[in-house]
Amino acid sequence: MARPRKPLLSRDRIVETAGALVDAEGLAALSTRRLAAELGVSGPSLYNHFRTKDEILDAVADAVSAKIDLSMFAPGDPRDWRTALHDWALSYRAALDGHPHIVPVLAQGPGRRPAGLRVADAVFGGMVRAGWPPAQATSIGALMRYFVTGSALGSFARGFVDDETAYDPADYPHLGQAHLLAERREKVDRVAFETGLRALLDGLGTQYAPYAPAKGGAGARPGGAA
């Protein structure tokens, strides 16, 4: 009998299937037994590629991190540090938006995940090249992770039901339109994220002056050019 052209199982196939399962049903749905059934293989065969379920989850999380654009932090990119952080935050949020159930894993930090570490390295390097002291650059990377992953953990707008009788004006005089939030979720959450991001960057801008290169001002580029 001729051998199949492609192997039955691979790391990529395991990660893709595990990611789809988590996306559809949440973290609790993922087990090695369930994953093996989805793949049509025996459970022990997974251990040829991953030692534990946690390693599989790490790989799924890292696959999401790999979707985040880091081009704005590359040496020579024309964007200043503020624009770089803004554009990166939008890409970061977009990557998480498609995979909300894996966000709690990502929120724990990169650990040893290669793509996650590349993200941390790029942000830190970009901020230091723009003139931020290393300690401040570390804090900026941390606060951006708090902000983006926090926003991705849940939808503010979806937290309200679309039943106008649920919010009695006698009890909640300022929530008369709250029942409309659910159907406007995408816009409400997008505008809230953008508002918070601008406020965050404005706050950083007020702290940047002592660190700005002499000729670069607040527009110093992550790549090191003023």
Side-chain angles (χ1 to χ4, degrees), residues 10-175:
S10 68
R11 284 182 65 92
D12 287 346
R13 187 178 169 216
I14 293 171
V15 172
E16 182 180 357
T17 304
L21 182 58
V22 170
D23 285 345
E25 301 182 32
L27 290 171
L30 183 65
S31 67
T32 53
R33 178 177 297 182
R34 174 71 185 279
L35 182 57
E38 293 286 330
L39 290 162
V41 300
S42 63
S45 63
L46 296 176
Y47 298 116
N48 293 324
H49 302 276
F50 295 96
R51 292 177 297 178
T52 65
K53 185 184 81 169
D54 285 343
E55 282 193 0
I56 297 173
L57 278 175
D58 268 351
V60 171
D62 216 37
V64 174
S65 294
K67 299 178 181 180
I68 302 170
D69 181 17
L70 299 176
S71 63
M72 64 288 296
F73 298 118
D77 188 279
R79 283 167 282 193
D80 59 49
W81 68 266
R82 178 182 174 127
T83 305
L85 282 179
H86 175 272
D87 294 351
W88 169 68
L90 293 182
S91 176
Y92 190 178
R93 182 65 179 85
L96 301 191
D97 191 50
H99 309 280
H101 293 140
I102 200 66
V103 173
V105 179
L106 286 163
Q108 296 171 8
R112 297 174 182 267
R113 303 180 207 125
L117 289 170
R118 282 192 291 272
V119 172
D121 182 74
V123 177
F124 178 83
M127 294 304 98
V128 169
R129 287 194 300 274
W132 289 97
Q136 289 293 95
T138 298
S139 295
I140 289 170
L143 75 88
M144 293 298 290
R145 179 160 66 85
Y146 299 153
F147 176 69
V148 179
T149 58
S151 73
L153 282 172
S155 164
F156 173 82
R158 191 174 284 164
F160 295 86
V161 299
D162 60 2
D163 178 4
E164 63 181 328
T165 67
Y167 307 107
D168 189 331
D171 295 321
Y172 315 106
H174 305 296
L175 297 182

